[in-house]
Amino acid sequence: MFVQDGRRHNDGYYQLSDWGPFDSQWVLARETDIAEVLGFHA
């Protein structure tokens, strides 16, 4: 879900409201690997 942050031009951020088909424990266990592949620092 996109959360509007009260500014103009769709400023805001995305927030997970549910994990859908993803196993949240699998994602959390691989957080560092996922962040590295996406170019983020976890």
Side-chain angles (χ1 to χ4, degrees):
M1 142 173 76
F2 183 75
V3 178
Q4 186 73 31
D5 202 13
R7 298 182 215 143
R8 301 206 254 160
H9 307 297
N10 292 325
D11 283 346
Y13 55 92
Y14 286 93
Q15 178 178 347
L16 288 175
S17 57
D18 68 59
W19 286 95
F22 294 102
D23 177 0
S24 62
Q25 294 303 311
W26 182 91
V27 173
L28 292 173
R30 291 160 181 83
E31 180 179 7
T32 303
D33 296 330
I34 294 168
E36 183 180 326
V37 167
L38 295 175
F40 295 104
H41 300 285

